[in-house]
């Protein structure tokens, strides 16, 4: 090995520059690729020396090859162990909130928590990824952190997904530099690393470095470093030609001082040359090490090699001296200095030799499990037994490894192991299968009522148990298509009459996946599950079916049937001891209670459930509790309490690494801030929500809310862009009711801004067909926008046709909505008033009641709308003090809209004041723009009338707009025609537009 670092100055300079940026507080990610032997490891070693000298804390982790599979999270565990050796208590402190989950990856952090009682331990992998990301961010606050992950071509899927998450989510200001390396010549077309690398190429934050081969001069320089003197020109040329500039091959061709020795053209033979020159005993030890994996612990090697300790040490010393083996980083074992040499030694073994050595490894570990780290034991034992060809031993070992993978959050690897177990199933002896037990009982058949062939219902594991565990693993790994396919396959094979609970369980899983992937609402699947459990004795599956069904039906509103379903789900879950399901059903019941008007009682129950969830560590339920509690408070009009709940929820979600929950809470925060008129803060919350979104659901909600906020400000382009983006993505799916209601409201707001009343009605009719009235507050918002669109649409071309039917539909919806809370009473009064306004000004509604109801609720935009409507009603009524009172309401409304930046409502307020000739200026206003050219002697009132004539209004409509009689309007029109010297209203409009005597109006 050359002591001189040759040919990589440019690449090393790139890494040093990336380190400089990381030290300056800009996180860095670099991926180094190249063929085997090209010098990736040497480059990283040289850089780590530079980084360490600069004061950075460095850690290295490598993927571990075991047969055809990588050890789950091996690089991450290696990094954590290295950091723990260097930082000790500081690492424990940084990982302390909460340590429980990270202890499954690194037992040195403390005692790992056990499974939750009464249910499958379903820890969200995204949550664990977030915890790891934040751990590295915390550690980087005191120093620059350089993390190296080698041999990604052997990495497991979970490691790759963690890296992808980290690259996208790490804080840009973290002083973290991550370097990864992979062997490019191993990445064939279907290699799983290929799509991962393609994904990285789309990230601007990831830098790629591809190492190329050395030039002739660089090869000569490398040889000079190895030999201690410059090589002869002919030897250097020969080595360069034979190695083709690959540094590792240069080493192999240079190390033999006899240049006349013939070397074969075969790469494998080239790599075996130095192995075959060693004594036979040393070669035997090398073969044992090669079969053991990427590295082998000394104690385990001693058991498997089967030679006296002095002879083993002598053989190892010779192998290390020949630079074939090297000590591992923890100095507890050995590894081949280059993976290519290990592969050549392994390939040179006869099949029988390889199987015999794998059996010896497996037997040694069964006899003494403490020979290796406990976290590696299940996976390595399964690999050794399977490579030994012993299926009777391999099946239970693979199942044990699958459980261990799940406990380490490696759900993709757990799924792969379960699929391997299914492949081994038929070949394993029946007596072996009879001794196996399911990892988590899922069926819950009552004692004494287990049907024949029910597998692991209350006995040995069966084929269907493997499929069920595979469904759970695939779901947790985010492979929903795969989980759905396994469910469909299981349901095709199951006898639903003989095993109804099994079938119901799979239908429940399909329902959850349909809803989660926005591919439907899961109603069909839940209905089928209900049919299967109907009439059966109580069970956990039955309780789960009832709980999910009650949650879905709660969207229909808090009727007696929905409340009864939720209460039955609570009772049944409590009866069978399904605590997780009971908590879920209790929360559904509390939501219905809130919708029925008892928000205070509902909040008490929700907080009680939340405390229990936290005490039990039911992380899978925590997100629902935090998000819905703040939403219920907001829906009840308790906006300040909702903000407090959101702040507490974000803190808890941050502590438990629930990034998706934080996105939902930020969306709730934006919703409340928008109601309160704190629109800039709402916009910032929505930006944060979009950054933290981890699912289509949360992304859609934040986009819709951003569009609604833009519509309130009059930003048509932004609002339209948001509506189009969400509608396009949801067009092929049956969307959730939440999306449909909020998206329809946004589209109605857009139709109002662009003057399209008929489109507004079409949107409302379309939304009505699938409207779920359990979303009470959202539906109130929808009908409020629809009522405003009808009221403001009066006088627009084509707006009168269809108005009675639209108003009737809105009234029908409002009658079905409860007015059992102050905020709902206020919204109801506002909607009623808008509908009266849409029908006729001759019957003004009680706008004063709407203003009085809204005023104490901290809803400034709604209050400005009500003041505007009240002022218009006062002017139309013509009472003695109407003008003064109307001016007071309009002045207050205008001040609010100016403070909010609510351009559309401000323009309506100012137009009304202009038509009524009311002065709203409470302080000096900017100087008015100069009048257009020739006015033909028209008075200000006649110019107002001319503007309405140009907009196509009739005399009656002009009278209504300007609060004058139709006769007076007719007189004004006659005077205008005479002064303009035209004979028709059309000619008058043409003159007005041509000479710009009136402002352009939207048609």
């Amino acid at each position: 090995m050359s002591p001189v670092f040759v040919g990589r100055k440019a690449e090393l300079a790139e890494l040093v520059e990336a380190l400089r940026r990381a030290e300056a507080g800009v996180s860095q990610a670099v991926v180094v690729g190249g063929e085997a032997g090209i010098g990736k490891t040497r480059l990283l070693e040289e850089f780590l020396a530079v980084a360490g000298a600069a004061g950075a804390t460095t850690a290295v982790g490598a993927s571990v090859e075991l047969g055809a599979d990588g050890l789950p999270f091996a690089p991450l565990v290696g990094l954590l162990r290295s950091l723990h050796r260097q930082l000790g208590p500081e690492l424990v402190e940084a990982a302390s909130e909460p340590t429980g989950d990270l202890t499954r990856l690194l037992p040195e952090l403390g005692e790992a928590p056990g499974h939750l009682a009464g249910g499958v331990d379903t820890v969200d992998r995204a949550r664990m990824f977030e915890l790891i990301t934040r751990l590295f961010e915390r550690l980087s606050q005191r120093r620059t952190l350089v993390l190296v992950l080698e041999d990604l071509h052997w990495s497991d899927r979970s490691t790759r997904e963690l890296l992808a998450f980290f690259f996208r989510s790490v804080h840009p200001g973290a002083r973290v530099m991550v370097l990864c390396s992979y062997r490019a010549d191993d990445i064939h077309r279907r290699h799983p690393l290929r799509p991962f690398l393609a994904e990285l190429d789309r990230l601007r934050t990831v830098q790629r470095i591809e190492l190329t081969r050395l030039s002739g001069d660089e090869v000569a320089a490398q040889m000079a470093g190895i030999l201690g003197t410059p090589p002869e020109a002919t030897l250097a040329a020969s080595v360069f030609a034979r190695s083709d500039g690959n540094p590792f091959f240069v080493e192999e061709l240079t190390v033999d001082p006899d240049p006349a020795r013939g070397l074969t053209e075969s790469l494998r033979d080239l790599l075996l040359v130095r192995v075959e020159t060693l004594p036979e005993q040393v070669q035997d030890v090398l073969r044992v090490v090669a079969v053991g994996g990427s590295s082998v612990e000394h104690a385990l090697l001693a058991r498997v090699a089967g030679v006296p300790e002095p002879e083993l040490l002598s053989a190892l010393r010779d192998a290390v001296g020949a630079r074939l083996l090297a000590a591992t980083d923890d100095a507890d074992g050995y590894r081949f200095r280059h993976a290519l040499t290990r592969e050549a030694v392994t390939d040179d073994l006869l099949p029988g030799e390889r199987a015999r050595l794998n059996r010896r490894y497996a037997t040694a570990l069964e006899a003494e499990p403490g020979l290796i780290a406990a976290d590696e034991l299940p996976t390595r034992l399964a690999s050794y037994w399977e490579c030994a060809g012993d299926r009777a031993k391999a099946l239970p070992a693979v199942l044990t490894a699958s459980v261990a993978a799940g406990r380490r959050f490696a759900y993709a690897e757990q799924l792969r192991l379960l699929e391997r177990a299914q492949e081994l199933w038929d070949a394993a002896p029946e007596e072996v299968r009879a001794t196996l037990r399911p990892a988590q009982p899922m069926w819950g058949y009552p004692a004494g009522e287990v049907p024949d062939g029910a597998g692991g219902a209350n006995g040995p594991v069966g084929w269907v148990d493997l499929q069920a565990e595979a469904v759970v693993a695939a779901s947790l790994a985010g492979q929903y298509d795969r989980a759905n396919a396994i469910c469909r396959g299981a349901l095709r094979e199951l006898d639903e009459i003989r095993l109804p609970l099994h079938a119901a369980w799979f239908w429940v899983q399909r329902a959850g996946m349909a809803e989660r992937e926005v591919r439907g609402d899961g109603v069909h699947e839940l209905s089928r599950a209900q049919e299967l459990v109907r009439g059966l004795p109580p069970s956990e599956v039955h309780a789960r079916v009832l709980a999910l069904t009650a949650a879905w039906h709660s969207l229909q509103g808090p009727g007696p049937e929905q409340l009864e379903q939720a209460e039955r789900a609570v009772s049944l879950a409590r009866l069978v001891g399904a605590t997780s399901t009971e908590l879920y059903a209790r929360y559904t019941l509390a939501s219905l209670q809130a919708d029925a008007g008892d928000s205070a009682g509902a909040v008490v129950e929700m907080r009680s459930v939340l405390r229990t969830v936290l005490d039990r560590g039911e992380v899978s339920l925590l997100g629902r509790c935090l998000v819905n509690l703040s939403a219920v408070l907001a829906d009840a009009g308790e906006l300040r309490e909702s903000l407090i709940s959101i702040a507490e929820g974000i803190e808890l979600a941050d502590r438990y690494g629930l990034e998706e929950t934080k996105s939902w809470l930020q969306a709730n925060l934006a919703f409340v801030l928008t109601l309160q008129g704190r629109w800039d803060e709402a916009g910032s919350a929505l930006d944060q929500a979009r950054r933290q979104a981890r699912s289509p659901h949360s992304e859609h909600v934040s986009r819709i809310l951003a569009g609604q906020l833009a519509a309130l400000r009059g930003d048509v382009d932004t609002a339209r862009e948001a509506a189009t983006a969400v509608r396009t993505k949801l067009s092929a799916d049956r969307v959730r009711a939440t999306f449909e209601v909020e998206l329809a409201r946004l589209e109605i707001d857009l139709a109002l801004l662009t003057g399209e009343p008929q489109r507004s009605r079409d949107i409302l009719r379309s939304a009505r067909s699938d409207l779920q009235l359990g979303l009470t507050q959202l539906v109130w918002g929808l009908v409020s926008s629809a009522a405003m669109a009808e009221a403001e649409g009066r006088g627009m071309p084509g707006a009168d046709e269809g108005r009675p039917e639209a108003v009737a539909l809105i009234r029908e919806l409002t009658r079905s909505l409860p007015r059992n809370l102050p905020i709902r009473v206020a919204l109801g009064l506002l909607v009623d008033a808008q509908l009266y306004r849409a029908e006729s000004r001759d019957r003004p509604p009680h706008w004063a009641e709407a203003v009085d109801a809204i005023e104490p609720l901290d809803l400034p935009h709604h209050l400005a709308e009500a003041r505007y409507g009240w002022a218009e009603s006062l002017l139309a009524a013509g009472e003695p003090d109407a003008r003064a009172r109307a001016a007071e309401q309009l002045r207050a409304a205008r001040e609010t809209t100016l403070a909010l930046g609510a351009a559309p409502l401000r323009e309506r307020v100012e137009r009304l004041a202009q038509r009524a000739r009311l002065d709203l200026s409470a302080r000096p206003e900017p100087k008015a723009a100069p009048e257009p050219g020739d006015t033909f002697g028209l008075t200000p009132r006649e110019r107002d009338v001319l503007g309405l004539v140009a907009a196509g209004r009739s005399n009656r409509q002009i009278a209504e707009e300007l609060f004058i009689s139709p006769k007076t309007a007719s007189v004004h029109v006659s005077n205008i025609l005479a002064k303009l010297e035209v004979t028709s209203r059309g000619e008058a409009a043409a003159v007005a537009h041509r000479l710009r005597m009136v402002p352009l109006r939207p048609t």
Side-chain angles (χ1 to χ4, degrees), residues 766-781:
S766 177
R768 176 66 182 92
S769 59
D770 291 320
L771 206 57
Q772 293 176 328
L773 299 179
L775 301 166
T776 303
Q777 210 62 22
L778 300 183
V779 179
W780 269 121

Side-chain angles (χ1 to χ4, degrees), residues 67-149:
D69 308 307
L71 187 67
F73 288 122
L76 176 62
V77 174
L79 290 176
L80 292 175
R81 283 213 166 98
S82 175
L83 291 171
H84 188 259
R85 286 194 297 270
Q86 298 177 66
L87 305 178
E90 185 182 344
L91 177 68
V92 176
E93 180 185 355
S96 62
E97 290 194 10
T99 56
D101 293 313
L102 296 185
T103 55
R104 302 186 189 182
L105 294 174
L106 189 64
E108 290 91 328
L109 292 176
E111 184 178 352
H115 282 279
L116 296 174
V120 178
D121 187 9
T122 56
V123 178
D124 186 353
R125 63 189 179 133
R127 173 187 171 232
M128 192 275 291
F129 292 173
E130 175 67 17
L131 291 174
I132 292 294
T133 301
R134 289 220 319 279
L135 169 64
F136 291 144
E137 289 175 349
R138 288 194 191 109
L139 293 175
S140 72
Q141 291 174 0
R142 297 185 182 180
R143 85 273 298 151
T144 302
L145 204 60
V146 178
L147 309 175
V148 177
L149 294 88

Side-chain angles (χ1 to χ4, degrees), residues 844-978:
H846 299 292
W847 280 102
E849 294 180 20
V851 170
D852 290 343
I854 297 171
E855 202 160 11
L857 295 179
D858 198 14
L859 303 173
H861 191 270
H862 290 80
L863 181 59
E865 282 185 358
R867 291 189 185 281
Y868 164 71
W870 190 12
E872 186 183 57
S873 176
L874 287 168
L875 292 170
E879 297 175 0
D881 60 344
R883 290 179 59 79
R885 293 165 61 196
E888 179 185 354
Q889 296 302 318
L890 287 177
R891 189 172 293 111
R894 184 172 181 271
E895 289 176 359
T896 298
T897 59
L898 285 171
L900 295 176
L905 181 54
R906 176 181 57 79
E907 291 169 4
R908 292 200 295 270
V909 168
E910 291 176 347
R911 282 202 301 268
L912 177 59
Q914 182 183 17
R915 293 198 307 268
R917 296 192 173 192
L918 295 175
D919 182 11
L920 303 183
S921 58
R923 54 186 177 274
E925 294 289 331
K927 187 176 179 181
E931 293 286 341
D934 192 354
T935 60
F936 293 85
L938 297 178
T939 66
R941 175 57 87 187
E942 287 170 345
R943 289 199 299 273
D944 291 340
V945 172
L946 178 58
L948 294 172
V949 169
R953 302 291 197 270
S954 67
N955 287 349
R956 181 173 182 80
Q957 290 170 331
I958 292 172
E960 290 178 348
E961 289 272 352
L962 300 179
F963 307 101
I964 57 180
S965 69
K967 183 175 180 180
T968 302
S970 176
V971 172
H972 283 312
V973 170
S974 298
N975 291 339
I976 290 168
L977 296 179

Side-chain angles (χ1 to χ4, degrees), residues 756-803:
E756 301 175 89
Q758 293 297 347
R759 172 162 172 70
S760 172
R761 294 162 190 166
D762 292 340
I763 294 166
L764 181 63
R765 282 192 293 269
S766 177
R768 176 66 182 92
S769 59
D770 291 320
L771 206 57
Q772 293 176 328
L773 299 179
L775 301 166
T776 303
Q777 210 62 22
L778 300 183
V779 179
W780 269 121
L782 174 66
V783 298
S784 179
S785 287
M788 170 65 78
E790 291 302 327
E792 287 298 320
R794 287 179 57 85
M796 290 185 182
D800 293 341
E801 183 180 353
R803 177 177 291 114

Side-chain angles (χ1 to χ4, degrees), residues 570-593:
V570 172
S571 299
L572 183 56
R574 189 171 294 155
L575 176 66
V576 300
T579 307
S580 298
T581 302
E582 179 191 342
L583 292 169
Y584 183 92
R586 281 176 61 192
Y587 216 81
T588 300
L589 184 58
S591 299
L592 288 167
Q593 185 180 355

Side-chain angles (χ1 to χ4, degrees), residues 611-647:
R611 283 193 298 272
T612 306
V613 164
L614 289 171
D615 290 342
R616 285 174 51 84
E618 295 267 12
V619 179
S620 58
L621 296 178
L622 182 56
R624 183 179 186 232
C625 293
L626 297 177
V627 173
N628 287 7
L629 175 58
S630 60
V632 163
L633 287 166
D635 289 350
E638 301 290 341
L639 302 187
R640 293 181 183 177
E641 288 297 318
S642 180
L643 291 178
I644 294 172
S645 174
I646 290 170

Side-chain angles (χ1 to χ4, degrees), residues 481-789:
D481 288 341
R482 180 64 187 139
N484 214 3
I486 298 171
C487 283
R488 289 196 302 268
L491 289 169
R492 281 195 300 268
E493 297 178 21
L494 274 176
D495 183 345
E496 293 189 348
I497 297 177
R498 190 168 55 86
L499 300 175
L501 285 185
H502 286 69
W505 186 91
F506 283 106
W507 280 112
V508 166
Q509 301 307 307
R510 290 194 64 186
M513 283 180 281
E515 195 270 345
R516 188 181 296 114
E517 287 294 279
V518 201
R519 295 182 177 177
D521 49 19
V523 178
H524 166 72
E525 292 82 359
L526 277 179
S527 298
R528 183 67 187 126
Q530 275 187 296
E531 294 173 8
L532 289 165
V533 299
R534 188 172 291 120
L536 295 180
S539 66
E540 291 185 27
V541 174
H542 197 161
R544 188 66 179 166
V545 171
L546 276 186
L548 291 176
T549 303
W552 187 87
H553 282 296
S554 68
L555 297 178
Q556 307 300 323
E561 181 181 348
Q562 287 77 22
L563 287 165
E564 181 186 357
Q565 276 188 327
E567 289 168 350
R568 285 177 55 209
V570 172
S571 299
L572 183 56
R574 189 171 294 155
L575 176 66
V576 300
T579 307
S580 298
T581 302
E582 179 191 342
L583 292 169
Y584 183 92
R586 281 176 61 192
Y587 216 81
T588 300
L589 184 58
S591 299
L592 288 167
Q593 185 180 355
D595 233 10
D598 184 10
S599 57
V603 168
V604 170
E605 172 68 354
M606 286 180 163
R607 285 179 170 151
S608 173
V609 172
L610 176 58
R611 283 193 298 272
T612 306
V613 164
L614 289 171
D615 290 342
R616 285 174 51 84
E618 295 267 12
V619 179
S620 58
L621 296 178
L622 182 56
R624 183 179 186 232
C625 293
L626 297 177
V627 173
N628 287 7
L629 175 58
S630 60
V632 163
L633 287 166
D635 289 350
E638 301 290 341
L639 302 187
R640 293 181 183 177
E641 288 297 318
S642 180
L643 291 178
I644 294 172
S645 174
I646 290 170
E648 294 171 348
I650 290 175
E651 182 181 348
L652 282 170
D654 191 56
R655 183 187 309 169
Y656 286 89
L658 301 175
E659 197 74 359
E660 177 75 352
T661 299
K662 286 162 64 178
S663 177
W664 282 100
L665 287 169
Q666 290 287 355
N668 284 0
L669 175 61
F671 179 78
V672 174
L673 293 173
T674 301
L675 290 177
Q676 290 184 318
R678 298 159 64 180
W679 290 357
D680 289 341
E681 295 174 71
S684 299
L686 288 171
D687 290 340
Q688 187 73 6
R690 282 193 294 273
R691 284 194 296 270
Q692 293 167 335
R694 295 289 179 267
S695 74
H697 293 166
S698 52
E699 183 181 352
H700 295 336
V701 167
S702 59
R703 277 183 176 272
I704 291 170
L705 291 175
Q708 291 176 351
L709 182 57
L712 289 171
R713 286 173 159 156
D715 185 351
V716 175
D717 291 339
T718 300
R720 182 183 288 117
E721 180 183 352
T724 302
V726 177
R727 181 62 74 188
T728 300
K729 290 186 178 181
L730 299 181
S731 59
D733 305 319
R734 290 191 62 190
V735 302
R736 294 175 78 184
T738 305
F739 299 152
E740 188 57 60
V741 173
E742 289 293 81
L743 184 54
R745 179 183 176 185
L746 170 56
E747 291 171 334
I748 288 174
D749 290 341
L750 266 172
L752 173 59
L753 286 175
T754 55
E756 301 175 89
Q758 293 297 347
R759 172 162 172 70
S760 172
R761 294 162 190 166
D762 292 340
I763 294 166
L764 181 63
R765 282 192 293 269
S766 177
R768 176 66 182 92
S769 59
D770 291 320
L771 206 57
Q772 293 176 328
L773 299 179
L775 301 166
T776 303
Q777 210 62 22
L778 300 183
V779 179
W780 269 121
L782 174 66
V783 298
S784 179
S785 287
M788 170 65 78

